[in-house]
Amino acid sequence: MDVRVCALDEVEGGVEQGALLLGQVVAIERASFPAYESLADHLRAEARARGRTLLVARPRADLAAVAGYLLLERRAVVVHVTKLAVAEQSRRRGVGRALLLLSLIHI
């Protein structure tokens, strides 16, 4: 799968397109993690919190879709991958690897 990965705040189409993509990220979060591990109810705030970056992978064939996401948290000299999830239909296609590689650039 050919994907495009970018930080949520770099999404073309501005705030409205970013909100649509974030809604898909929340859906992937809910499908990927059990309720007690899910940030779905707080993901919007987490993604916009200071020191956090939300990276999204989108299929080049459908830039309105989200193939996966990664949430980074920076604390002083340490960076944590808080969440990494790939939509079920996009798994085993290098999406997670692409997100991890891009996260190295954002450090």
Side-chain angles (χ1 to χ4, degrees):
M1 172 183 284
D2 188 21
V3 297
R4 181 158 188 264
V5 179
C6 65
L8 187 64
D9 59 357
E10 299 168 355
V11 170
E12 308 83 19
V15 175
E16 185 175 315
Q17 181 66 22
L20 290 172
L21 294 177
L22 190 54
Q24 292 180 58
V25 167
V26 169
I28 294 170
E29 170 80 13
R30 285 193 169 116
S32 299
F33 299 101
Y36 65 89
E37 288 183 5
S38 177
L39 290 174
D41 294 335
H42 309 286
L43 197 57
R44 287 175 176 81
E46 288 290 322
R48 290 186 168 87
R50 185 173 181 212
R52 297 206 173 91
T53 302
L54 180 66
L55 304 177
V56 292
R58 301 181 295 162
R60 289 193 190 273
D62 182 8
L63 290 179
V66 174
Y69 71 93
L70 183 144
L71 183 62
L72 287 174
E73 180 180 3
R74 285 184 214 86
R75 290 186 183 176
V77 296
V78 178
V79 176
H80 295 273
V81 174
T82 305
K83 287 284 183 166
L84 170 63
V86 176
E88 189 171 347
Q89 68 274 15
S90 300
R91 292 180 184 160
R92 310 292 303 163
R93 295 190 171 126
V95 174
R97 179 181 295 124
L99 286 162
L100 283 170
L101 289 173
L102 185 71
S103 74
L104 295 174
I105 294 169
H106 277 270
I107 294 176

